[in-house]
Amino acid sequence: MAGQNPTASKTWNNRWTFMLAAAGSAIGLGNIWKFPYIAGQYGGGAFVMVYLLCIALVGVPLLMAETSIGRSTRLSPLNAMRKLTSDSGAFRGWEIVGWMGMFTGFIILTFYSVVAGWAMSYAWDLLTGTFDGMNASQVGGEFEALTLDAPRQIFWHTAFMALTVYITARGVHKGLEKGLQVMMPTLFALLILMLGYSMFATGNFMKGFHFMFDVDFSKITGEAVVAAMGQAFFTLSLGMCALMAYGAYMPANNSIPRTALSVAFLDTLMAIISGLIVFPIVYAHGLEPSAGPGLLFVSLTSAFANMTGGAYLGFAFFVLVSIAALSSAISLIEPTLAWVTERFGMNRIAATIMIGGAIWFVGLGSVLSFNHWAEVKFFGKTIFDLSGYVTDVILLPLGGMLTAIFAGWVLKRSVMSQELAMSVGMYNLWRFAIRIIVPAAVLLIFYTAIFK
Ligand code: PFF
């Protein structure tokens, strides 16, 4: 049918697939790499508490809204927004949500792929024994050497984008369903194994635990709240239409509220477990929790370098982190890809190569921002830092807020109530959250980011 997404005409085969794909999108570098390092930078417990509140009060209601918008139209996010806008007789400008979603996904993937490339590079180096017997400061030196080495990073960035394009081009069914069914449970198992290590072998588990859960209210600064909210959006893949795009493939008889709760729960669990793995190791090796983007790479690798069989375990760990990143990367391209194939009738493979190629190219800027362009700064930030900041603090919260206002105030009530199929009480609770809490929370962080 003209203007229809060819992949959306079919829904996913199995009722678990949406769940798996949404969890695959949500669980990624945001949980394993980013959560521990930002929690570390903002002092632990206070940040974690605000983050958990954001997940529950803002994340879950928005997850339901985005999925419902996708499923009710079975179109790409941009066309979904267009159709619902015209069905509701609303102002056409709402389609900006769809445009922004595509743009945001593009920007995120440019730096996401660079970090995923680091993980791939670590997998390789662990396997080949580069880190064997190194102490933490030597491992830290290796991390710095990697970021200073542009060709090596470009190699792995290219490898990661090539894999992303390959899997995405194979299509939603063949590319996504099969791989995820095996990889997500394996990743979880490996994280549990590492958690066991942190608990029993570091001798610092309780120290890490207290760092993450003892709330020192004096540490709740405006900046920490802004970061926690940005992280909540990022980790749940919200505010850029990724779950709208996936919602379009969700079978009609799946329960959206139940799925949303499960995805949020699994995602949060993964982040918490990652923190509980990282911080005890950080203390055991005399590292700083506030070390920044290298935290995961340096702390975990120091542990792998000094345990029996660590090379293989470390290899497996970073391979799985790369795979978790891959299942998120796919969802970062999907909104644009779904729209390009709908709009121009372009073949999925050609479209993926074109979009992936453009992302790869812009991503070179992030690679270079660690070395040759380290002095190139905009608003005092390198390209890598700026891409993360703009998406976390502006684009994702703004996209999320507009989606919430659209779903809560503009859309005909029947669309959401039909998709969500909840009891009246629960529905009213959701409606209150989406109409009031989500927009107010986002406005609050904009206010804080600007004036504090
Ligand atoms: N949620 C992913 C992570 O935590 O790594 C990142 C991400 C994927 C953000 C997809 C946004 C998105 F649409």
Side-chain angles (χ1 to χ4, degrees):
M1 206 192 321
Q4 276 272 336
N5 180 354
T7 34
S9 56
K10 287 183 245 138
T11 50
W12 271 326
N13 302 329
N14 178 315
R15 63 186 286 261
W16 292 108
T17 307
F18 174 82
M19 169 80 193
L20 205 61
S25 166
I27 297 166
L29 298 173
N31 308 64
I32 305 169
W33 161 71
K34 201 165 173 198
F35 173 76
Y37 103 70
I38 325 191
Q41 279 180 332
Y42 289 103
F47 171 90
V48 175
M49 191 194 75
V50 179
Y51 165 82
L52 292 176
L53 280 176
C54 291
I55 296 277
L57 299 178
V58 176
V60 173
L62 199 53
L63 227 162
M64 294 187 199
E66 286 201 17
T67 314
S68 301
I69 290 176
R71 190 171 74 177
S72 75
T73 60
R74 300 223 171 277
L75 291 168
S76 69
L78 177 59
N79 285 337
M81 289 303 296
R82 283 187 172 154
K83 175 165 189 308
L84 291 175
T85 306
S86 87
D87 288 358
S88 321
F91 167 57
R92 266 200 57 188
W94 282 105
E95 70 178 58
I96 184 87
V97 172
W99 289 109
M100 271 178 51
M102 294 195 271
F103 178 69
T104 312
F106 187 101
I107 299 288
I108 294 180
L109 194 47
T110 62
F111 69 85
Y112 203 80
S113 168
V114 175
V115 179
W118 295 346
M120 290 171 74
S121 160
Y122 267 61
W124 174 254
D125 286 351
L126 274 152
L127 187 67
T128 51
T130 308
F131 294 106
D132 286 355
M134 280 191 182
N135 64 28
S137 83
Q138 289 166 318
V139 173
E142 282 295 315
F143 179 73
E144 213 184 311
L146 172 66
T147 57
L148 291 175
D149 188 343
R152 185 143 66 107
Q153 284 185 93
I154 292 174
F155 174 82
W156 291 109
H157 163 60
T158 309
F160 183 79
M161 279 313 298
L163 274 174
T164 304
V165 165
Y166 176 74
I167 299 202
T168 312
R170 287 182 57 120
V172 172
H173 291 277
K174 276 185 274 169
L176 276 176
E177 281 196 47
K178 283 209 212 95
L180 289 177
Q181 278 163 355
V182 186
M183 293 176 298
M184 296 311 284
T186 320
L187 174 68
F188 190 65
L190 216 60
L191 278 173
I192 297 293
L193 191 72
M194 287 305 294
L195 182 64
Y197 174 85
S198 273
M199 275 185 176
F200 302 114
T202 58
N204 277 289
F205 185 72
M206 285 325 285
K207 206 168 164 195
F209 187 90
H210 285 299
F211 178 74
M212 270 182 66
F213 294 114
D214 288 357
V215 180
D216 171 356
F217 285 93
S218 70
K219 284 196 178 146
I220 307 187
T221 59
E223 215 187 315
V225 175
V226 173
M229 173 85 92
Q231 173 63 7
F233 277 97
F234 187 86
T235 193
L236 289 179
S237 307
L238 293 174
M240 56 138 289
C241 310
L243 295 172
M244 233 182 247
Y246 277 2
Y249 314 128
M250 185 185 196
N253 56 0
N254 270 24
S255 158
I256 291 182
R258 215 174 302 147
T259 315
L261 279 174
S262 317
V263 170
F265 173 77
L266 283 177
D267 186 78
T268 308
L269 187 69
M270 292 296 228
I272 298 287
I273 293 179
S274 301
L276 288 176
I277 295 172
V278 168
F279 292 115
I281 298 180
V282 162
Y283 289 121
H285 289 266
L287 299 163
E288 281 301 321
S290 59
L295 187 69
L296 173 82
F297 293 94
V298 178
S299 65
L300 256 69
T301 309
S302 303
F304 290 134
N306 294 292
M307 64 169 91
T308 3
Y312 298 108
L313 196 60
F315 167 74
F317 180 81
F318 281 110
V319 166
L320 286 165
V321 170
S322 312
I323 291 166
L326 203 56
S327 61
S328 302
I330 291 164
S331 71
L332 287 160
I333 292 195
E334 190 61 34
T336 313
L337 184 62
W339 178 70
V340 169
T341 48
E342 263 173 22
R343 171 73 180 75
F344 303 104
M346 204 170 174
N347 134 336
R348 191 169 165 105
I349 300 180
T352 315
I353 293 176
M354 195 183 76
I355 301 165
I359 292 172
W360 172 84
F361 183 73
V362 178
L364 296 177
S366 272
V367 168
L368 295 174
S369 71
F370 289 99
N371 35 72
H372 302 294
W373 292 356
E375 294 315 315
V376 180
K377 294 200 172 151
F378 304 90
F379 309 103
K381 292 188 184 331
T382 64
I383 296 175
F384 178 86
D385 290 342
L386 186 72
S387 313
Y389 184 82
V390 166
T391 45
D392 271 11
V393 176
I394 303 171
L395 292 170
L396 293 178
L398 186 62
M401 181 177 79
L402 293 177
T403 309
I405 297 174
F406 183 76
W409 297 93
V410 180
L411 259 188
K412 276 200 242 120
R413 200 182 160 110
S414 58
V415 177
M416 282 294 160
S417 60
Q418 199 181 341
E419 290 300 328
L420 293 176
M422 295 193 284
S423 67
V424 179
M426 290 309 284
Y427 178 78
N428 286 337
L429 205 63
W430 170 82
R431 199 166 154 85
F432 176 72
I434 211 79
R435 298 184 110 190
I436 312 286
I437 298 181
V438 178
V442 175
L443 285 178
L444 181 75
I445 70 156
F446 284 156
Y447 174 83
T448 316
I450 296 170
F451 298 107
K452 293 280 156 114

